Amino acid sequence: MAIERTLSIIKPDAVAKNVIGEIYSRFEKAGLKIVAAKMKHLSKAEAEGFYAEHSARGFFGDLVAFMTSGPVIIQVLEGENAVATHRDLMGATDPKKAEAGTIRADFASSIDENAVHGSDSTTSAAREIAYFFSTIELAPRTR
Ligand code: IDP
């Protein structure tokens, strides 16, 4: 199996609910390593740039307002099939449709405030990781 990296964001609703540790614990139990991480309060321009592919959608303004409503925790996760493993842990975009035991089923309240983001492909992951982390922040681990 391929070792991949993926970008994860714990969104403002989950940070406000004080479940950062609970979510990190799920990553670790699934064999995903946190190889880079930061807390950040996104600017409007940063949120708009990150979600640029959704700029024509009706929910774009609300999405940007939500993502800038409080601090987020952004991390790079590494492991076997990290993109799919992480998407499985997250559950469906709409928490009402998310499988029991997933992060969104347990911590998200609506499709607008759905607790976490995860890259949907290795191509997106490469773009999203580079959007938030510099090369030096992504230095390979020696132990
Ligand atoms: P994902 O986060 O599960 O990958 P995407 O389709 O990439 O889902 O959408 C990005 C984010 O935009 C979602 O996590 C959600 O917060 C928001 N979003 C997506 N679809 C809707 C919608 O129909 N109404 C409101 N917000 C939405």
Side-chain angles (χ1 to χ4, degrees):
M1 282 209 242
I3 298 292
E4 296 172 348
R5 285 182 168 189
T6 190
L7 187 90
S8 153
I9 302 178
I10 302 179
K11 295 184 178 183
D13 58 328
V15 172
K17 278 182 189 158
N18 211 22
V19 292
I20 297 164
E22 294 257 7
I23 294 173
Y24 267 28
S25 172
R26 291 178 188 214
F27 297 157
E28 292 174 348
K29 283 180 185 141
L32 296 173
K33 283 186 180 165
I34 297 154
V35 296
K38 59 179 77 168
M39 179 178 264
K40 201 166 161 51
H41 197 140
L42 299 182
S43 67
K44 187 164 178 276
E46 282 172 326
E48 285 173 347
F50 183 73
Y51 280 118
E53 69 181 292
H54 294 304
S55 61
R57 311 284 292 275
F59 58 80
F60 186 66
D62 288 344
L63 176 60
V64 169
F66 166 59
M67 290 300 290
T68 56
S69 67
V72 296
I73 308 271
I74 311 168
Q75 45 280 319
V76 178
L77 306 177
E78 183 180 272
E80 282 183 5
N81 290 329
V83 171
T85 301
H86 180 226
R87 295 284 295 189
D88 288 348
L89 290 177
M90 287 166 52
T93 308
D94 182 351
K96 286 193 221 79
K97 296 179 185 156
E99 237 179 90
T102 59
I103 294 169
R104 282 169 165 165
D106 290 346
F107 303 122
S109 51
S110 69
I111 193 168
D112 302 274
E113 302 204 352
N114 62 1
V116 281
H117 165 84
S119 311
D120 62 6
S121 66
T122 52
T123 305
S124 304
R127 181 190 76 80
E128 293 178 359
I129 290 168
Y131 191 82
F132 284 120
F133 292 93
S134 65
T135 310
I136 194 124
E137 291 172 310
L138 296 164
R141 289 181 168 196
T142 53
R143 48 189 285 175

Short mmCIF file of all heavy atoms in Angstrom, two decimals, residues 8-11 13-15 17 19-30 32 75 77 85-110 113-118:
data_model
loop_
_atom_site.label_atom_id
_atom_site.label_comp_id
_atom_site.label_asym_id
_atom_site.label_seq_id
_atom_site.Cartn_x
_atom_site.Cartn_y
_atom_site.Cartn_z
N SER A 8 -5.66 17.89 6.61
CA SER A 8 -6.83 17.85 7.50
C SER A 8 -7.01 19.21 8.15
O SER A 8 -6.02 19.86 8.51
CB SER A 8 -6.57 16.78 8.57
OG SER A 8 -7.28 17.07 9.76
N ILE A 9 -8.26 19.65 8.27
CA ILE A 9 -8.56 20.87 9.04
C ILE A 9 -9.64 20.52 10.07
O ILE A 9 -10.67 19.94 9.71
CB ILE A 9 -9.06 22.02 8.14
CG1 ILE A 9 -8.04 22.35 7.05
CG2 ILE A 9 -9.36 23.27 9.00
CD1 ILE A 9 -8.49 23.46 6.10
N ILE A 10 -9.37 20.87 11.32
CA ILE A 10 -10.42 20.84 12.34
C ILE A 10 -11.05 22.23 12.30
O ILE A 10 -10.39 23.24 12.55
CB ILE A 10 -9.86 20.48 13.73
CG1 ILE A 10 -9.16 19.11 13.66
CG2 ILE A 10 -10.99 20.46 14.77
CD1 ILE A 10 -8.54 18.65 14.97
N LYS A 11 -12.32 22.27 11.89
CA LYS A 11 -12.99 23.54 11.58
C LYS A 11 -13.40 24.29 12.87
O LYS A 11 -13.40 23.70 13.97
CB LYS A 11 -14.20 23.26 10.68
CG LYS A 11 -13.81 22.70 9.30
CD LYS A 11 -15.05 22.53 8.42
CE LYS A 11 -14.68 22.03 7.03
NZ LYS A 11 -15.88 21.92 6.14
N ASP A 13 -16.13 25.10 14.36
CA ASP A 13 -17.16 24.53 15.24
C ASP A 13 -16.57 23.47 16.17
O ASP A 13 -16.85 23.43 17.36
CB ASP A 13 -18.34 23.96 14.44
CG ASP A 13 -17.93 22.88 13.43
OD1 ASP A 13 -16.80 22.96 12.89
OD2 ASP A 13 -18.73 21.96 13.18
N ALA A 14 -15.70 22.62 15.62
CA ALA A 14 -15.10 21.54 16.42
C ALA A 14 -14.06 22.09 17.40
O ALA A 14 -13.95 21.60 18.52
CB ALA A 14 -14.49 20.48 15.51
N VAL A 15 -13.32 23.12 16.97
CA VAL A 15 -12.37 23.76 17.90
C VAL A 15 -13.16 24.34 19.08
O VAL A 15 -12.81 24.16 20.24
CB VAL A 15 -11.54 24.85 17.18
CG1 VAL A 15 -10.69 25.64 18.18
CG2 VAL A 15 -10.64 24.21 16.12
N LYS A 17 -15.99 23.37 20.22
CA LYS A 17 -16.56 22.29 21.05
C LYS A 17 -15.51 21.60 21.92
O LYS A 17 -15.83 20.68 22.67
CB LYS A 17 -17.20 21.22 20.15
CG LYS A 17 -18.59 21.59 19.69
CD LYS A 17 -19.21 20.49 18.83
CE LYS A 17 -20.51 20.98 18.22
NZ LYS A 17 -20.89 20.23 17.03
N VAL A 19 -12.99 19.54 21.07
CA VAL A 19 -12.78 18.13 20.75
C VAL A 19 -11.54 17.89 19.88
O VAL A 19 -11.44 16.90 19.17
CB VAL A 19 -14.05 17.50 20.11
CG1 VAL A 19 -15.18 17.42 21.13
CG2 VAL A 19 -14.50 18.27 18.87
N ILE A 20 -10.58 18.81 19.96
CA ILE A 20 -9.34 18.66 19.17
C ILE A 20 -8.64 17.34 19.54
O ILE A 20 -8.25 16.56 18.67
CB ILE A 20 -8.39 19.85 19.43
CG1 ILE A 20 -9.03 21.16 18.97
CG2 ILE A 20 -7.05 19.64 18.73
CD1 ILE A 20 -8.35 22.40 19.53
N GLY A 21 -8.51 17.10 20.83
CA GLY A 21 -7.83 15.88 21.29
C GLY A 21 -8.55 14.61 20.88
O GLY A 21 -7.93 13.63 20.46
N GLU A 22 -9.87 14.64 20.97
CA GLU A 22 -10.69 13.47 20.55
C GLU A 22 -10.43 13.16 19.08
O GLU A 22 -10.32 11.99 18.69
CB GLU A 22 -12.18 13.80 20.69
CG GLU A 22 -12.64 13.99 22.10
CD GLU A 22 -13.39 12.77 22.60
OE1 GLU A 22 -13.42 11.75 21.88
OE2 GLU A 22 -13.92 12.86 23.71
N ILE A 23 -10.37 14.20 18.27
CA ILE A 23 -10.18 14.00 16.82
C ILE A 23 -8.75 13.53 16.54
O ILE A 23 -8.54 12.59 15.77
CB ILE A 23 -10.56 15.28 16.06
CG1 ILE A 23 -12.07 15.53 16.20
CG2 ILE A 23 -10.16 15.19 14.58
CD1 ILE A 23 -12.57 16.86 15.64
N TYR A 24 -7.77 14.13 17.20
CA TYR A 24 -6.38 13.68 17.02
C TYR A 24 -6.23 12.21 17.42
O TYR A 24 -5.52 11.44 16.78
CB TYR A 24 -5.44 14.55 17.87
CG TYR A 24 -4.84 15.74 17.14
CD1 TYR A 24 -5.51 16.35 16.07
CD2 TYR A 24 -3.60 16.25 17.49
CE1 TYR A 24 -4.96 17.42 15.40
CE2 TYR A 24 -3.04 17.33 16.82
CZ TYR A 24 -3.72 17.92 15.78
OH TYR A 24 -3.17 18.98 15.12
N SER A 25 -6.93 11.83 18.48
CA SER A 25 -6.85 10.45 18.95
C SER A 25 -7.35 9.48 17.87
O SER A 25 -6.78 8.40 17.67
CB SER A 25 -7.67 10.35 20.22
OG SER A 25 -7.79 9.04 20.61
N ARG A 26 -8.39 9.88 17.16
CA ARG A 26 -8.91 9.01 16.07
C ARG A 26 -7.89 8.87 14.95
O ARG A 26 -7.74 7.79 14.36
CB ARG A 26 -10.23 9.58 15.54
CG ARG A 26 -11.33 9.45 16.57
CD ARG A 26 -12.62 10.04 16.10
NE ARG A 26 -13.56 10.04 17.22
CZ ARG A 26 -14.86 9.86 17.10
NH1 ARG A 26 -15.41 9.67 15.90
NH2 ARG A 26 -15.64 9.88 18.16
N PHE A 27 -7.19 9.96 14.64
CA PHE A 27 -6.14 9.88 13.60
C PHE A 27 -5.07 8.86 14.04
O PHE A 27 -4.66 7.99 13.27
CB PHE A 27 -5.47 11.24 13.38
CG PHE A 27 -6.38 12.33 12.87
CD1 PHE A 27 -6.05 13.67 13.08
CD2 PHE A 27 -7.55 12.04 12.17
CE1 PHE A 27 -6.87 14.69 12.61
CE2 PHE A 27 -8.36 13.06 11.69
CZ PHE A 27 -8.02 14.39 11.92
N GLU A 28 -4.63 9.02 15.27
CA GLU A 28 -3.53 8.17 15.76
C GLU A 28 -3.96 6.70 15.82
O GLU A 28 -3.20 5.82 15.42
CB GLU A 28 -3.06 8.66 17.13
CG GLU A 28 -2.37 10.02 17.03
CD GLU A 28 -2.00 10.63 18.37
OE1 GLU A 28 -2.46 10.12 19.41
OE2 GLU A 28 -1.26 11.61 18.38
N LYS A 29 -5.18 6.46 16.29
CA LYS A 29 -5.65 5.06 16.39
C LYS A 29 -5.79 4.42 15.02
O LYS A 29 -5.73 3.20 14.89
CB LYS A 29 -6.98 5.00 17.14
CG LYS A 29 -6.78 5.16 18.63
CD LYS A 29 -8.10 5.09 19.38
CE LYS A 29 -7.86 5.37 20.85
NZ LYS A 29 -8.90 6.18 21.46
N ALA A 30 -6.01 5.24 13.98
CA ALA A 30 -6.14 4.72 12.61
C ALA A 30 -4.78 4.58 11.93
O ALA A 30 -4.71 4.24 10.74
CB ALA A 30 -7.06 5.64 11.79
N LEU A 32 -2.59 7.06 11.42
CA LEU A 32 -2.14 8.27 10.71
C LEU A 32 -1.24 9.09 11.64
O LEU A 32 -1.61 9.35 12.79
CB LEU A 32 -3.35 9.11 10.28
CG LEU A 32 -4.28 8.43 9.27
CD1 LEU A 32 -5.53 9.28 9.04
CD2 LEU A 32 -3.55 8.21 7.94
N GLN A 75 -3.55 20.31 9.88
CA GLN A 75 -2.47 19.33 10.00
C GLN A 75 -2.29 18.51 8.73
O GLN A 75 -3.22 18.34 7.95
CB GLN A 75 -2.64 18.37 11.19
CG GLN A 75 -4.03 17.77 11.37
CD GLN A 75 -4.95 18.73 12.06
OE1 GLN A 75 -4.54 19.40 12.99
NE2 GLN A 75 -6.19 18.86 11.60
N LEU A 77 -1.43 14.76 7.64
CA LEU A 77 -1.46 13.39 8.15
C LEU A 77 -0.74 12.49 7.17
O LEU A 77 -0.89 12.64 5.94
CB LEU A 77 -2.90 12.92 8.32
CG LEU A 77 -3.81 13.81 9.16
CD1 LEU A 77 -5.24 13.26 9.17
CD2 LEU A 77 -3.29 13.94 10.58
N THR A 85 -8.19 6.77 4.05
CA THR A 85 -8.33 6.43 5.48
C THR A 85 -8.92 7.62 6.23
O THR A 85 -9.84 7.47 7.05
CB THR A 85 -6.94 6.07 6.07
OG1 THR A 85 -6.42 4.97 5.35
CG2 THR A 85 -7.03 5.72 7.55
N HIS A 86 -8.40 8.82 5.93
CA HIS A 86 -8.89 10.03 6.61
C HIS A 86 -10.33 10.34 6.21
O HIS A 86 -11.16 10.69 7.05
CB HIS A 86 -7.94 11.19 6.27
CG HIS A 86 -8.31 12.48 6.90
ND1 HIS A 86 -8.33 13.66 6.21
CD2 HIS A 86 -8.71 12.77 8.17
CE1 HIS A 86 -8.71 14.62 7.04
NE2 HIS A 86 -8.94 14.12 8.22
N ARG A 87 -10.67 10.19 4.93
CA ARG A 87 -12.06 10.45 4.48
C ARG A 87 -13.02 9.47 5.17
O ARG A 87 -14.13 9.84 5.53
CB ARG A 87 -12.18 10.32 2.95
CG ARG A 87 -11.39 11.34 2.14
CD ARG A 87 -11.98 12.71 2.08
NE ARG A 87 -13.26 12.78 1.40
CZ ARG A 87 -13.88 13.93 1.09
NH1 ARG A 87 -13.31 15.11 1.40
NH2 ARG A 87 -15.04 13.94 0.50
N ASP A 88 -12.58 8.23 5.34
CA ASP A 88 -13.42 7.25 6.05
C ASP A 88 -13.66 7.68 7.51
O ASP A 88 -14.76 7.55 8.02
CB ASP A 88 -12.78 5.85 6.04
CG ASP A 88 -12.84 5.20 4.67
OD1 ASP A 88 -13.57 5.72 3.80
OD2 ASP A 88 -12.14 4.19 4.46
N LEU A 89 -12.61 8.17 8.16
CA LEU A 89 -12.75 8.62 9.55
C LEU A 89 -13.70 9.81 9.64
O LEU A 89 -14.45 9.94 10.60
CB LEU A 89 -11.39 9.05 10.13
CG LEU A 89 -10.34 8.00 10.41
CD1 LEU A 89 -9.06 8.68 10.91
CD2 LEU A 89 -10.83 7.00 11.46
N MET A 90 -13.66 10.69 8.63
CA MET A 90 -14.50 11.91 8.64
C MET A 90 -15.98 11.61 8.48
O MET A 90 -16.81 12.24 9.13
CB MET A 90 -14.08 12.84 7.48
CG MET A 90 -12.75 13.53 7.68
SD MET A 90 -12.14 14.26 6.13
CE MET A 90 -13.53 15.22 5.60
N GLY A 91 -16.33 10.72 7.56
CA GLY A 91 -17.74 10.48 7.24
C GLY A 91 -18.25 11.44 6.17
O GLY A 91 -17.52 12.35 5.75
N ALA A 92 -19.51 11.27 5.77
CA ALA A 92 -20.08 12.04 4.66
C ALA A 92 -20.14 13.54 5.00
O ALA A 92 -20.23 13.92 6.16
CB ALA A 92 -21.48 11.53 4.35
N THR A 93 -20.13 14.36 3.92
CA THR A 93 -20.16 15.83 4.07
C THR A 93 -21.33 16.26 4.96
O THR A 93 -21.19 17.15 5.80
CB THR A 93 -20.30 16.48 2.67
OG1 THR A 93 -19.28 15.95 1.82
CG2 THR A 93 -20.16 17.99 2.74
N ASP A 94 -22.50 15.66 4.71
CA ASP A 94 -23.69 15.98 5.52
C ASP A 94 -23.72 15.04 6.73
O ASP A 94 -23.89 13.83 6.57
CB ASP A 94 -24.95 15.77 4.65
CG ASP A 94 -26.22 16.12 5.40
OD1 ASP A 94 -26.14 16.36 6.63
OD2 ASP A 94 -27.28 16.14 4.76
N PRO A 95 -23.55 15.57 7.94
CA PRO A 95 -23.48 14.68 9.11
C PRO A 95 -24.70 13.79 9.29
O PRO A 95 -24.60 12.71 9.88
CB PRO A 95 -23.31 15.64 10.30
CG PRO A 95 -23.61 16.99 9.78
CD PRO A 95 -23.41 16.98 8.30
N LYS A 96 -25.84 14.20 8.74
CA LYS A 96 -27.06 13.36 8.84
C LYS A 96 -26.88 12.07 8.04
O LYS A 96 -27.51 11.06 8.31
CB LYS A 96 -28.27 14.12 8.30
CG LYS A 96 -28.77 15.21 9.23
CD LYS A 96 -30.15 15.69 8.80
CE LYS A 96 -30.30 17.19 8.90
NZ LYS A 96 -29.70 17.97 7.80
N LYS A 97 -26.01 12.13 7.02
CA LYS A 97 -25.77 10.95 6.18
C LYS A 97 -24.48 10.23 6.58
O LYS A 97 -24.14 9.20 5.98
CB LYS A 97 -25.67 11.38 4.71
CG LYS A 97 -26.99 11.95 4.20
CD LYS A 97 -26.87 12.39 2.75
CE LYS A 97 -28.16 13.06 2.30
NZ LYS A 97 -27.97 13.96 1.19
N ALA A 98 -23.76 10.77 7.55
CA ALA A 98 -22.47 10.17 7.93
C ALA A 98 -22.70 8.91 8.76
O ALA A 98 -23.59 8.85 9.60
CB ALA A 98 -21.65 11.19 8.72
N GLU A 99 -21.86 7.91 8.49
CA GLU A 99 -21.96 6.63 9.22
C GLU A 99 -21.69 6.83 10.72
O GLU A 99 -20.84 7.66 11.08
CB GLU A 99 -20.89 5.68 8.67
CG GLU A 99 -21.45 4.38 8.15
CD GLU A 99 -20.35 3.51 7.60
OE1 GLU A 99 -19.78 2.72 8.37
OE2 GLU A 99 -20.08 3.63 6.39
N ALA A 100 -22.40 6.07 11.55
CA ALA A 100 -22.19 6.15 13.00
C ALA A 100 -20.72 5.90 13.33
O ALA A 100 -20.07 5.06 12.70
CB ALA A 100 -23.06 5.10 13.69
N GLY A 101 -20.22 6.65 14.28
CA GLY A 101 -18.83 6.45 14.70
C GLY A 101 -17.83 7.29 13.93
O GLY A 101 -16.65 7.31 14.28
N THR A 102 -18.28 8.00 12.88
CA THR A 102 -17.37 8.88 12.15
C THR A 102 -17.30 10.24 12.87
O THR A 102 -18.16 10.57 13.69
CB THR A 102 -17.81 9.08 10.69
OG1 THR A 102 -19.13 9.66 10.69
CG2 THR A 102 -17.84 7.77 9.93
N ILE A 103 -16.27 11.01 12.54
CA ILE A 103 -16.07 12.31 13.21
C ILE A 103 -17.28 13.21 12.96
O ILE A 103 -17.78 13.85 13.88
CB ILE A 103 -14.78 12.98 12.68
CG1 ILE A 103 -13.55 12.15 13.10
CG2 ILE A 103 -14.68 14.42 13.17
CD1 ILE A 103 -12.25 12.56 12.43
N ARG A 104 -17.77 13.25 11.73
CA ARG A 104 -18.90 14.15 11.44
C ARG A 104 -20.19 13.67 12.12
O ARG A 104 -20.96 14.48 12.61
CB ARG A 104 -19.07 14.31 9.93
CG ARG A 104 -18.03 15.29 9.35
CD ARG A 104 -17.99 15.26 7.86
NE ARG A 104 -17.28 16.41 7.31
CZ ARG A 104 -16.85 16.48 6.06
NH1 ARG A 104 -17.08 15.49 5.21
NH2 ARG A 104 -16.21 17.55 5.62
N ALA A 105 -20.41 12.36 12.17
CA ALA A 105 -21.60 11.86 12.87
C ALA A 105 -21.53 12.23 14.35
O ALA A 105 -22.54 12.58 14.95
CB ALA A 105 -21.71 10.34 12.70
N ASP A 106 -20.35 12.20 14.92
CA ASP A 106 -20.22 12.42 16.37
C ASP A 106 -20.11 13.90 16.75
O ASP A 106 -20.56 14.29 17.83
CB ASP A 106 -18.98 11.68 16.91
CG ASP A 106 -19.19 10.17 16.89
OD1 ASP A 106 -20.33 9.73 16.74
OD2 ASP A 106 -18.19 9.44 17.03
N PHE A 107 -19.51 14.74 15.89
CA PHE A 107 -19.21 16.11 16.32
C PHE A 107 -19.80 17.22 15.45
O PHE A 107 -19.73 18.39 15.84
CB PHE A 107 -17.68 16.32 16.40
CG PHE A 107 -16.99 15.35 17.30
CD1 PHE A 107 -15.97 14.53 16.82
CD2 PHE A 107 -17.35 15.23 18.63
CE1 PHE A 107 -15.32 13.62 17.64
CE2 PHE A 107 -16.71 14.33 19.47
CZ PHE A 107 -15.70 13.52 18.98
N ALA A 108 -20.34 16.90 14.27
CA ALA A 108 -20.85 17.97 13.38
C ALA A 108 -22.34 18.17 13.59
O ALA A 108 -23.06 17.22 13.91
CB ALA A 108 -20.56 17.60 11.93
N SER A 109 -22.78 19.42 13.39
CA SER A 109 -24.20 19.70 13.61
C SER A 109 -24.97 19.86 12.31
O SER A 109 -26.18 19.67 12.28
CB SER A 109 -24.36 20.94 14.49
OG SER A 109 -23.60 21.99 13.97
N SER A 110 -24.32 20.21 11.22
CA SER A 110 -25.02 20.42 9.94
C SER A 110 -24.03 20.35 8.79
O SER A 110 -22.81 20.35 9.03
CB SER A 110 -25.70 21.80 9.94
OG SER A 110 -24.70 22.79 9.90
N GLU A 113 -21.75 23.34 9.06
CA GLU A 113 -20.78 23.33 10.16
C GLU A 113 -20.45 21.86 10.43
O GLU A 113 -21.03 21.23 11.32
CB GLU A 113 -21.36 24.03 11.39
CG GLU A 113 -21.76 25.46 11.08
CD GLU A 113 -21.79 26.39 12.28
OE1 GLU A 113 -21.64 25.89 13.42
OE2 GLU A 113 -21.95 27.59 12.08
N ASN A 114 -19.53 21.33 9.62
CA ASN A 114 -19.34 19.88 9.64
C ASN A 114 -17.98 19.41 10.17
O ASN A 114 -17.48 18.37 9.79
CB ASN A 114 -19.67 19.29 8.26
CG ASN A 114 -18.76 19.79 7.17
OD1 ASN A 114 -17.85 20.59 7.43
ND2 ASN A 114 -18.97 19.34 5.95
N ALA A 115 -17.43 20.19 11.08
CA ALA A 115 -16.34 19.78 11.97
C ALA A 115 -14.95 19.61 11.35
O ALA A 115 -13.95 19.98 11.97
CB ALA A 115 -16.71 18.50 12.73
N VAL A 116 -14.86 19.00 10.17
CA VAL A 116 -13.54 18.69 9.61
C VAL A 116 -13.52 18.81 8.09
O VAL A 116 -14.54 18.69 7.42
CB VAL A 116 -13.10 17.24 9.99
CG1 VAL A 116 -12.58 17.18 11.41
CG2 VAL A 116 -14.20 16.23 9.76
N HIS A 117 -12.30 19.05 7.59
CA HIS A 117 -12.03 18.99 6.15
C HIS A 117 -10.97 17.94 5.91
O HIS A 117 -10.06 17.77 6.73
CB HIS A 117 -11.50 20.35 5.65
CG HIS A 117 -10.88 20.24 4.28
ND1 HIS A 117 -11.63 20.31 3.14
CD2 HIS A 117 -9.59 20.00 3.88
CE1 HIS A 117 -10.82 20.13 2.09
NE2 HIS A 117 -9.59 19.94 2.51
N GLY A 118 -11.04 17.26 4.77
CA GLY A 118 -9.97 16.35 4.36
C GLY A 118 -9.83 16.36 2.86
O GLY A 118 -10.84 16.38 2.14
#
